[in-house]
Coordinates of all heavy atoms in Angstrom, one line a residue:
G1 N 0.8 -1.2 0.0 CA 0.0 0.0 0.0 C 0.8 1.3 0.0 O 2.0 1.3 0.5
N2 N 0.3 2.3 -0.6 CA 1.0 3.6 -0.6 C 0.0 4.7 -0.2 O -0.9 5.1 -0.9 CB 1.5 3.9 -2.1 CG 2.4 5.1 -2.1 OD1 2.5 5.9 -1.1 ND2 3.0 5.3 -3.3
I3 N 0.1 5.0 1.1 CA -0.7 6.1 1.7 C 0.2 7.2 1.9 O 0.7 7.4 3.0 CB -1.4 5.6 3.0 CG1 -2.1 4.3 2.8 CG2 -2.4 6.6 3.5 CD1 -2.7 3.6 4.0
R4 N 0.5 8.0 0.9 CA 1.5 9.0 0.9 C 1.5 9.9 2.1 O 0.4 10.3 2.5 CB 1.4 9.8 -0.4 CG 1.7 9.0 -1.7 CD 1.6 9.9 -2.9 NE 1.9 9.1 -4.2 CZ 1.0 8.4 -4.8 NH1 -0.2 8.2 -4.3 NH2 1.4 7.7 -5.9
P5 N 2.6 10.0 2.7 CA 4.0 9.6 2.4 C 4.4 8.2 3.0 O 5.6 7.9 3.0 CB 4.9 10.7 2.9 CG 4.2 11.1 4.2 CD 2.7 10.9 3.9
V6 N 3.4 7.4 3.4 CA 3.7 6.2 4.1 C 3.5 5.0 3.1 O 2.5 5.0 2.4 CB 2.8 6.0 5.4 CG1 3.1 4.6 6.0 CG2 3.1 7.1 6.4
T7 N 4.4 4.1 3.2 CA 4.3 2.8 2.4 C 4.1 1.7 3.3 O 4.7 1.6 4.4 CB 5.5 2.6 1.5 OG1 6.7 2.4 2.3 CG2 5.7 3.7 0.5
I8 N 3.3 0.7 2.9 CA 3.0 -0.5 3.8 C 3.2 -1.8 3.0 O 2.8 -1.9 1.8 CB 1.6 -0.4 4.3 CG1 1.3 0.9 5.1 CG2 1.3 -1.6 5.2 CD1 -0.1 1.1 5.4
A9 N 3.8 -2.7 3.6 CA 3.9 -4.1 3.1 C 3.5 -5.0 4.2 O 4.0 -5.0 5.3 CB 5.3 -4.4 2.6
A10 N 2.5 -5.9 3.9 CA 2.0 -6.9 4.9 C 1.9 -8.2 4.2 O 1.6 -8.3 3.0 CB 0.6 -6.4 5.4
S11 N 2.1 -9.3 5.0 CA 2.1 -10.6 4.4 C 1.6 -11.7 5.4 O 1.7 -11.5 6.6 CB 3.5 -11.0 3.9 OG 4.4 -11.0 5.0
A12 N 1.1 -12.7 4.9 CA 0.7 -13.9 5.6 C 1.2 -15.1 4.9 O 1.2 -15.2 3.6 CB -0.8 -14.0 5.9
Q13 N 1.7 -16.1 5.6 CA 2.2 -17.3 4.9 C 1.7 -18.6 5.6 O 1.5 -18.6 6.8 CB 3.7 -17.4 4.8 CG 4.5 -17.7 6.1 CD 6.0 -17.9 5.8 OE1 6.5 -17.8 4.7 NE2 6.7 -18.3 6.8
F14 N 1.6 -19.7 4.8 CA 1.2 -21.0 5.3 C 2.1 -22.0 4.7 O 2.2 -22.0 3.4 CB -0.3 -21.1 4.9 CG -0.8 -22.5 5.1 CD1 -1.4 -22.9 6.4 CD2 -0.8 -23.5 4.1 CE1 -1.9 -24.2 6.5 CE2 -1.3 -24.7 4.3 CZ -1.9 -25.1 5.5
V15 N 2.7 -22.9 5.4 CA 3.5 -24.0 4.9 C 3.1 -25.3 5.6 O 3.0 -25.3 6.8 CB 5.0 -23.7 5.2 CG1 5.9 -24.8 4.5 CG2 5.4 -22.3 4.7
T16 N 2.9 -26.3 4.8 CA 2.5 -27.6 5.4 C 3.3 -28.7 4.7 O 3.6 -28.6 3.5 CB 1.0 -27.8 5.4 OG1 0.7 -29.0 6.0 CG2 0.5 -27.9 3.9
G17 N 3.5 -29.8 5.4 CA 4.2 -30.9 4.8 C 3.8 -32.2 5.5 O 3.5 -32.2 6.7
S18 N 3.8 -33.3 4.8 CA 3.5 -34.6 5.3 C 4.8 -35.4 5.6 O 5.8 -35.3 4.8 CB 2.7 -35.4 4.3 OG 1.5 -34.7 4.1
A19 N 4.8 -36.1 6.7 CA 6.0 -36.9 7.0 C 6.1 -38.1 6.0 O 5.1 -38.7 5.7 CB 5.9 -37.5 8.4
S20 N 7.3 -38.3 5.5 CA 7.5 -39.3 4.5 C 7.7 -40.7 5.3 O 7.6 -40.7 6.5 CB 8.7 -39.0 3.7 OG 9.9 -39.2 4.5
H21 N 7.9 -41.7 4.5 CA 8.1 -43.0 5.1 C 9.6 -43.2 5.6 O 9.9 -44.2 6.3 CB 7.8 -44.1 4.1 CG 6.4 -44.2 3.7 ND1 5.4 -44.7 4.5 CD2 5.8 -43.7 2.6 CE1 4.2 -44.6 3.9 NE2 4.4 -44.0 2.7
V22 N 10.4 -42.2 5.3 CA 11.8 -42.3 5.8 C 11.9 -41.9 7.2 O 11.3 -40.9 7.7 CB 12.7 -41.3 4.9 CG1 14.1 -41.3 5.4 CG2 12.6 -41.7 3.5
T23 N 12.6 -42.7 8.0 CA 12.8 -42.4 9.4 C 13.8 -41.3 9.6 O 14.7 -41.1 8.8 CB 13.2 -43.7 10.2 OG1 14.5 -44.2 9.6 CG2 12.2 -44.7 10.1
G24 N 13.7 -40.6 10.7 CA 14.5 -39.5 11.0 C 16.0 -39.7 11.0 O 16.8 -38.9 10.6
D25 N 16.4 -40.9 11.5 CA 17.8 -41.2 11.5 C 18.5 -41.4 10.1 O 19.7 -41.4 10.0 CB 18.1 -42.5 12.3 CG 17.3 -43.7 11.8 OD1 16.1 -43.6 11.6 OD2 17.9 -44.8 11.6
N26 N 17.6 -41.5 9.1 CA 18.1 -41.6 7.7 C 18.1 -40.2 7.0 O 18.2 -40.1 5.8 CB 17.3 -42.6 6.9 CG 17.7 -44.0 7.2 OD1 18.9 -44.3 7.5 ND2 16.7 -44.9 7.3
T27 N 17.9 -39.1 7.7 CA 17.9 -37.8 7.1 C 18.9 -36.9 7.8 O 19.4 -37.2 8.9 CB 16.5 -37.1 7.3 OG1 16.4 -36.7 8.7 CG2 15.3 -38.0 6.9
T28 N 19.4 -35.9 7.1 CA 20.4 -35.0 7.6 C 19.8 -34.1 8.6 O 20.4 -33.7 9.6 CB 21.1 -34.2 6.5 OG1 20.2 -33.5 5.8 CG2 21.9 -35.1 5.6
L29 N 18.5 -33.7 8.4 CA 17.9 -32.7 9.3 C 17.5 -33.3 10.7 O 17.4 -32.6 11.7 CB 16.7 -32.0 8.7 CG 17.0 -31.2 7.4 CD1 15.7 -30.5 7.0 CD2 18.0 -30.1 7.7
L30 N 17.2 -34.6 10.7 CA 16.8 -35.2 11.9 C 17.7 -36.4 12.2 O 17.3 -37.4 12.8 CB 15.4 -35.7 11.9 CG 14.3 -34.6 11.9 CD1 12.9 -35.2 11.7 CD2 14.3 -33.8 13.3
G31 N 19.0 -36.3 11.9 CA 19.9 -37.4 12.0 C 20.2 -37.9 13.4 O 20.6 -39.0 13.5

């Protein structure tokens, strides 16, 4: 938005994921 002389940026995000069949000890992130 541009409400002169002020500018505005706003955001919302959503992220989702399903656990795979791989166990955590076989991944680098959950090693």
Side-chain angles (χ1 to χ4, degrees):
N2 189 350
I3 308 173
R4 295 178 178 83
V6 176
T7 60
I8 302 170
S11 62
Q13 74 170 5
F14 169 89
V15 185
T16 185
S18 300
S20 70
H21 297 284
V22 179
T23 58
D25 56 308
N26 284 323
T27 72
T28 55
L29 295 185
L30 288 174

